[in-house]
Amino acid sequence: MPQNTNITLLDAADIKVKFNDNEVLKEASLTIRIGDHLGMVGRNGSGKSTFLKILTEVIQPDAGNISRRHDLVIGYLSQNLVMAEDATVESIIREGAKHIINLLAKYESLPPDSNIQSELEQQITANDAWNIDTRIKAAMMHLNAPDSERIIKTLSGGEKRRVALCRAIISNPDLLILDEPTNHLDTESIEWMANYLKKFRGAFLVSTHDRYFLDEICNNIVELQSGRFYLHKGNYSNYLESNLARLDSEQALDLKRKKFLRRELDWIRRGPKARTTKAKFRVDKFHSIKNTQRADTELSMEMIIPPPGQLANRVLDLINIDLELGGKSLIEKFHFKFEAGMRIGICGRNGLGKTSLLKIALGQLQPTGGNRKMGVLTEFNYVDQERIQLDPEKTLLEEVAEGADSINFGNGQLAIRAYLQRFGFNPKRINMKVKSLSGGEKSRLLLARILKHGGNFLILDEPTNDLDLPTLRLLEEALLAFSGCVLVVSHDRYFLNRVCTGIIAFEGDGQVVYNEGDYEYYRDKLAERKALSINRNTHPKIKPEKNKTNNIKQNKLTWKEKKELEGIEDAILKTEKEVVEIEAIFADPEFHSKHGEKTSDLTKNLEEAKERTIALYGRWEELENLRLASE
């Protein structure tokens, strides 16, 4: 396919959609050209899925026009999966390549002297139809799809979604439209999908809340806000920058949103790619202070978790846990001690036992071997979105209130209406019925309903699915402020990096390992272990030299040292400020009359502050040299 970006594949002009009194789309316009790799973002309920359904002719708009290139092939992954329940997995996936299979059938039925044989061969080659069986197998393997002979009605929701994703991409379409493609995918599958899309020769429009995914695959971001589209050139990081610039240029009063954008942009810049550049923290700190001179007020809407009760010295101990299910060993000799303040992420491919470990922790599943010891003050709160169902005919208030007017919040009470507002629900919509909510809004309502029960040990199974970006940020902030213990299963790499202090990774064949630090740090350690294993297998008789090993270890920052380096700038500025303030007191002409009796204490404090400053500069230099050496 020629990469001429001037060729329009699809043009949506002035699209309008109204549900009852809610005008979701207001003259929404979007043009998609060859080579466009578009990410779509917007709040839950803003109309993203509705717009995608209009593009794929699932529904019709109330007004507006859609024009498509002649014989345009579209691959579409919907949030609402419709499949023949009695069909096999492979037959459903092959439906996505129907036009390719028809080309092959037509070619094979041609007589030897057909005058269209050459034309068909060109079409077959352009669509890579000769390799269709190989491509189907590769997609199923990398996306961890169920066995090809499984019947659709026997599949879980996540399995059906992976089948639907295989069906969407296998057609090698001109335009790929994907609605939340990373939901129910493990991290390895998400990485494969990102690489697939980066190399994709056609155009795509992807609606997703996976921020690393958006950052990797997109050349433009389209934001759906107040029923209209805003185009941002570049990937997710560029979107954050341009969005912040737009808010500044409009002299926006929404300081809370700008505060979130700055935090998010700062986090992106601290990511693995950003760490390859040399730190100039004094200059960076100056710009940071310069850019945040306005006093930000506290959020009026923030996801809140009721303050946890105190935990005992023992929170939860998992002692030499073994688990075997269906003749397969999922966990072997896993030993872990949970402590207050821990935020532990669980990652690994689907089907390896992550949810089973949660159930062992909760006491809902007995391990094959080992035992579990729970602290006397530990109170679990389990967020399992598949276990609890919402009543579509109830209002938001009825679903969360469950007959009460308020919830217990620390030593006091919080009104249900105020609680729902903190989860981003407009007071005018609190009395509307659940059935009118978007999928993401329902996920947010479920979180509100479950989290209100409190507890000091939160266990969350894929809490980020279907949440929009602002809500994800709110959840991250709430978990970072939570003083209890958190155990969370997630495939959202950004979420794991931002929230977690440690990672429990399921690596297959019963191997479950723990690494202190975030997900990126775990991946670095995994790569080191794999490299060491390859080296040992290649040179089994060569023993590593102790001094060499020690030098390697000394030239790498631990996760704690990385966190220390990130925070040392603020510590230096704080001690320098303390030195300046004390010196200003000594320089006061009226020092002796005002502070004479404190001379000894002030002198001591000044010397200590200077010593701390020197020590911090020395420590910064040491850590910075280690960082540069490791790169």
Side-chain angles (χ1 to χ4, degrees), residues 77-298:
L77 173 70
S78 168
Q79 285 203 50
N80 302 316
L81 305 177
V82 179
M83 301 180 190
E85 290 291 296
D86 293 328
T88 64
V89 165
E90 185 170 355
S91 66
I92 292 295
I93 293 174
R94 283 184 173 275
E95 284 180 3
K98 189 174 181 180
H99 70 288
I100 293 178
I101 294 170
N102 288 342
L103 278 176
L104 289 171
K106 186 175 181 180
Y107 178 82
E108 290 172 357
S109 65
L110 288 176
D113 57 347
S114 173
N115 57 3
I116 65 168
Q117 183 175 3
S118 177
E119 179 185 344
L120 275 178
E121 284 180 346
Q122 290 179 3
Q123 293 181 45
I124 289 170
T125 301
N127 285 280
D128 195 21
W130 303 118
N131 298 316
I132 184 63
D133 291 331
T134 301
R135 289 196 290 114
I136 288 175
K137 289 178 181 178
M140 290 180 66
M141 177 184 71
H142 290 293
L143 295 177
N144 201 20
D147 186 79
S148 60
E149 298 303 316
R150 289 273 301 279
I151 304 300
I152 296 299
K153 63 183 177 184
T154 68
L155 305 182
S156 67
E159 288 174 325
K160 288 180 180 178
R161 190 155 185 81
R162 294 194 291 277
V163 170
L165 184 53
C166 288
R167 177 177 62 183
I169 68 172
I170 205 62
S171 61
N172 200 20
D174 305 308
L175 173 60
L176 195 53
I177 296 177
L178 304 175
D179 198 352
E180 294 295 346
T182 63
N183 281 0
H184 302 288
L185 292 186
D186 54 48
T187 48
E188 291 182 23
S189 296
I190 291 172
E191 289 172 6
W192 181 86
M193 193 68 202
N195 288 327
Y196 172 87
L197 290 175
K198 283 189 284 189
K199 299 173 184 176
F200 187 65
R201 298 180 63 198
F204 63 72
L205 175 60
V206 175
S207 175
T208 180
H209 304 133
D210 188 318
R211 289 154 287 186
Y212 278 143
F213 195 69
L214 286 170
D215 217 39
E216 288 182 26
I217 67 171
C218 296
N219 55 28
N220 286 306
I221 300 289
V222 289
E223 181 181 17
L224 184 55
Q225 187 181 50
S226 302
R228 294 180 175 85
F229 282 108
Y230 297 88
L231 178 67
H232 303 265
K233 296 289 186 182
N235 60 9
Y236 182 68
S237 298
N238 302 128
Y239 155 72
L240 291 172
E241 292 173 338
S242 63
N243 209 4
L244 186 57
R246 180 165 64 89
L247 288 172
D248 278 330
S249 67
E250 294 172 355
Q251 295 183 339
L253 297 178
D254 191 355
L255 297 178
K256 305 173 192 78
R257 186 180 180 200
K258 289 171 71 176
K259 183 177 180 180
F260 266 155
L261 287 169
R262 286 193 180 103
R263 286 178 180 172
E264 187 113 330
L265 183 56
D266 178 64
W267 188 261
I268 282 285
R269 285 171 173 166
R270 288 177 181 268
K273 292 180 182 178
R275 294 185 195 123
T276 61
T277 60
K278 186 176 181 180
K280 300 183 289 292
F281 80 86
R282 301 301 288 173
V283 176
D284 292 341
K285 178 55 66 176
F286 167 78
H287 288 298
S288 173
I289 294 172
K290 178 183 175 183
N291 291 334
T292 56
Q293 285 179 344
R294 293 179 186 177
D296 288 351
T297 57
E298 288 297 314

Side-chain angles (χ1 to χ4, degrees), residues 335-488:
H335 187 95
F336 193 76
K337 181 179 181 180
F338 290 93
E339 297 175 359
M342 280 185 167
R343 296 186 300 274
I344 305 300
I346 301 181
C347 67
R349 299 215 67 162
N350 293 316
L352 294 182
K354 299 186 299 295
T355 299
S356 296
L357 183 62
L358 296 189
K359 291 180 177 178
I360 290 173
L362 287 162
Q364 296 178 359
L365 177 65
Q366 289 298 316
T368 308
N371 58 78
R372 161 189 178 273
K373 291 184 179 179
M374 176 177 161
V376 292
L377 298 180
T378 302
E379 297 179 13
F380 292 110
N381 191 349
Y382 181 30
V383 178
D384 177 9
Q385 295 184 22
E386 292 188 0
R387 184 184 62 172
I388 298 177
Q389 299 298 318
L390 296 172
D391 185 340
E393 296 301 324
K394 284 187 177 180
T395 66
L396 279 67
L397 185 62
E398 289 170 338
E399 270 292 344
V400 175
E402 296 179 299
D405 294 325
S406 60
I407 64 168
N408 294 325
F409 192 78
N411 297 323
Q413 297 283 311
L414 182 66
I416 294 293
R417 289 180 178 273
Y419 178 68
L420 279 169
Q421 278 184 257
R422 294 297 188 99
F423 277 79
F425 290 107
N426 190 304
K428 296 179 181 179
R429 303 186 70 199
I430 286 175
N431 288 315
M432 69 189 299
K433 290 190 175 181
V434 170
K435 64 183 178 183
S436 63
L437 299 179
S438 70
E441 288 174 316
K442 289 175 182 176
S443 295
R444 188 160 17 120
L445 186 64
L446 274 171
L447 280 174
R449 177 176 159 180
I450 298 167
L451 290 175
K452 72 169 187 175
H453 296 296
N456 52 24
F457 195 137
L458 295 182
I459 296 185
L460 304 93
D461 198 353
E462 291 290 357
T464 63
N465 280 351
D466 296 320
L467 295 182
D468 58 29
L469 294 175
T471 307
L472 274 172
R473 298 178 194 129
L474 289 171
L475 178 59
E476 289 165 356
E477 296 287 332
L479 291 176
L480 287 170
F482 186 70
S483 60
C485 197
V486 178
L487 181 62
V488 54

Side-chain angles (χ1 to χ4, degrees), residues 543-560:
K543 295 182 179 180
E545 298 177 14
K546 289 185 178 180
N547 292 337
K548 186 176 180 181
T549 303
N550 290 338
N551 288 337
I552 293 172
K553 185 176 181 180
Q554 290 171 5
N555 283 336
K556 293 197 175 182
L557 289 172
T558 66
W559 181 76
K560 280 187 176 180

Side-chain angles (χ1 to χ4, degrees), residues 391-620:
D391 185 340
E393 296 301 324
K394 284 187 177 180
T395 66
L396 279 67
L397 185 62
E398 289 170 338
E399 270 292 344
V400 175
E402 296 179 299
D405 294 325
S406 60
I407 64 168
N408 294 325
F409 192 78
N411 297 323
Q413 297 283 311
L414 182 66
I416 294 293
R417 289 180 178 273
Y419 178 68
L420 279 169
Q421 278 184 257
R422 294 297 188 99
F423 277 79
F425 290 107
N426 190 304
K428 296 179 181 179
R429 303 186 70 199
I430 286 175
N431 288 315
M432 69 189 299
K433 290 190 175 181
V434 170
K435 64 183 178 183
S436 63
L437 299 179
S438 70
E441 288 174 316
K442 289 175 182 176
S443 295
R444 188 160 17 120
L445 186 64
L446 274 171
L447 280 174
R449 177 176 159 180
I450 298 167
L451 290 175
K452 72 169 187 175
H453 296 296
N456 52 24
F457 195 137
L458 295 182
I459 296 185
L460 304 93
D461 198 353
E462 291 290 357
T464 63
N465 280 351
D466 296 320
L467 295 182
D468 58 29
L469 294 175
T471 307
L472 274 172
R473 298 178 194 129
L474 289 171
L475 178 59
E476 289 165 356
E477 296 287 332
L479 291 176
L480 287 170
F482 186 70
S483 60
C485 197
V486 178
L487 181 62
V488 54
V489 172
S490 179
H491 297 132
D492 187 325
R493 296 164 291 173
Y494 191 104
F495 179 84
L496 292 172
N497 281 339
R498 192 165 194 179
V499 169
C500 295
T501 61
I503 298 293
I504 294 174
F506 281 71
E507 298 183 346
D509 297 324
Q511 298 303 305
V512 182
V513 301
Y514 172 72
N515 258 109
E516 187 177 42
D518 58 20
Y519 179 73
E520 289 298 332
Y521 189 69
Y522 158 70
R523 288 301 299 267
D524 290 344
K525 291 299 179 184
L526 176 63
E528 287 178 16
R529 283 192 282 119
K530 287 183 176 179
L532 183 60
S533 176
I534 292 171
N535 186 55
R536 284 175 176 170
N537 291 334
T538 307
H539 306 287
K541 294 183 180 180
I542 300 177
K543 295 182 179 180
E545 298 177 14
K546 289 185 178 180
N547 292 337
K548 186 176 180 181
T549 303
N550 290 338
N551 288 337
I552 293 172
K553 185 176 181 180
Q554 290 171 5
N555 283 336
K556 293 197 175 182
L557 289 172
T558 66
W559 181 76
K560 280 187 176 180
E561 287 171 336
K562 288 180 181 179
K563 292 297 178 185
E564 184 184 358
L565 181 58
E566 289 174 7
I568 207 165
E569 307 165 18
D570 290 328
I572 290 174
L573 286 174
K574 185 177 179 180
T575 57
E576 286 182 337
K577 182 181 178 182
E578 187 179 347
V579 169
V580 171
E581 288 174 349
I582 297 174
E583 288 179 339
I585 293 173
F586 277 112
D588 187 345
E590 299 181 10
F591 170 78
H592 290 291
S593 60
K594 290 181 179 179
H595 310 287
E597 74 281 3
K598 298 179 181 178
T599 301
S600 178
D601 290 340
L602 286 170
T603 302
K604 181 181 178 183
N605 292 342
L606 179 60
E607 291 304 317
E608 288 177 349
K610 287 181 176 179
E611 288 175 4
R612 285 199 303 273
T613 304
I614 294 170
L616 284 169
Y617 268 111
R619 182 60 174 161
W620 172 80

